[in-house]
Amino acid sequence: MAMDERTLAILACPLCKGRLVWCKDKQELVCRGDKLAYPVRDDIPMLLTTEAREISNAELEKMPS
Protein backbone atom coordinates (compact mmCIF):
# COMPACT_ATOMS: atom_id res chain seq x y z
CA MET A 1 0.00 0.00 0.00
CA ALA A 2 1.24 3.43 -0.87
CA MET A 3 -0.03 5.88 1.73
CA ASP A 4 -0.08 9.26 0.00
CA GLU A 5 0.15 12.66 1.66
CA ARG A 6 -3.50 13.55 1.04
CA THR A 7 -4.71 10.38 2.75
CA LEU A 8 -2.37 10.93 5.70
CA ALA A 9 -3.60 14.51 6.01
CA ILE A 10 -7.21 13.44 6.62
CA LEU A 11 -6.46 10.52 8.95
CA ALA A 12 -6.10 11.23 12.67
CA CYS A 13 -5.53 9.26 15.84
CA PRO A 14 -8.91 8.28 17.28
CA LEU A 15 -7.73 9.06 20.83
CA CYS A 16 -5.92 12.39 20.63
CA LYS A 17 -6.92 13.47 17.10
CA GLY A 18 -3.21 13.95 16.38
CA ARG A 19 -1.21 13.34 13.23
CA LEU A 20 -0.42 9.77 12.18
CA VAL A 21 2.91 8.71 10.68
CA TRP A 22 3.03 5.99 8.02
CA CYS A 23 5.48 3.19 8.87
CA LYS A 24 5.77 1.41 5.53
CA ASP A 25 7.93 -1.54 6.63
CA LYS A 26 5.44 -2.60 9.34
CA GLN A 27 2.30 -1.48 7.48
CA GLU A 28 1.17 0.64 10.44
CA LEU A 29 -0.01 4.14 11.17
CA VAL A 30 1.72 5.47 14.28
CA CYS A 31 0.55 8.09 16.75
CA ARG A 32 3.65 9.47 18.47
CA GLY A 33 1.61 11.23 21.18
CA ASP A 34 -0.22 8.13 22.39
CA LYS A 35 2.60 5.72 21.46
CA LEU A 36 0.19 3.51 19.52
CA ALA A 37 0.55 1.77 16.16
CA TYR A 38 -2.58 1.03 14.17
CA PRO A 39 -2.35 -1.78 11.60
CA VAL A 40 -3.30 -1.41 7.94
CA ARG A 41 -4.88 -4.57 6.53
CA ASP A 42 -5.93 -5.00 2.91
CA ASP A 43 -5.25 -1.28 2.38
CA ILE A 44 -7.70 -0.35 5.16
CA PRO A 45 -6.46 1.47 8.29
CA MET A 46 -7.72 -0.23 11.45
CA LEU A 47 -8.15 2.88 13.59
CA LEU A 48 -9.61 1.14 16.61
CA THR A 49 -7.88 1.27 19.96
CA THR A 50 -8.57 -2.44 20.38
CA GLU A 51 -6.54 -3.12 17.21
CA ALA A 52 -3.62 -0.87 18.15
CA ARG A 53 -0.41 -2.00 19.76
CA GLU A 54 1.71 0.01 22.15
CA ILE A 55 5.13 1.03 20.92
CA SER A 56 8.24 1.68 22.96
CA ASN A 57 10.36 4.82 23.11
CA ALA A 58 13.13 2.93 21.32
CA GLU A 59 10.78 2.19 18.39
CA LEU A 60 9.69 5.83 18.27
CA GLU A 61 13.30 7.03 18.05
CA LYS A 62 13.92 4.81 15.01
CA MET A 63 10.87 6.08 13.10
CA PRO A 64 10.89 8.96 10.64
CA SER A 65 9.03 12.03 11.81
Side-chain angles (χ1 to χ4, degrees):
M1 174 182 190
M3 192 64 71
D4 64 16
E5 292 298 318
R6 286 193 295 169
T7 303
L8 279 174
I10 61 171
L11 293 175
C13 173
L15 289 179
C16 71
K17 309 304 183 232
R19 180 175 169 258
L20 295 170
V21 177
W22 174 237
C23 184
K24 183 179 180 178
D25 60 329
K26 293 186 179 182
Q27 297 289 297
E28 294 176 324
L29 290 165
V30 176
C31 175
R32 290 179 171 275
D34 291 322
K35 296 182 183 175
L36 292 174
Y38 298 94
V40 176
R41 296 187 194 116
D42 300 322
D43 295 340
I44 300 169
M46 302 291 139
L47 297 178
L48 300 169
T49 55
T50 55
E51 294 284 332
R53 70 175 182 89
E54 291 185 28
I55 54 177
S56 66
N57 288 332
E59 279 185 279
L60 278 177
E61 290 173 5
K62 293 178 186 177
M63 298 179 102
S65 31

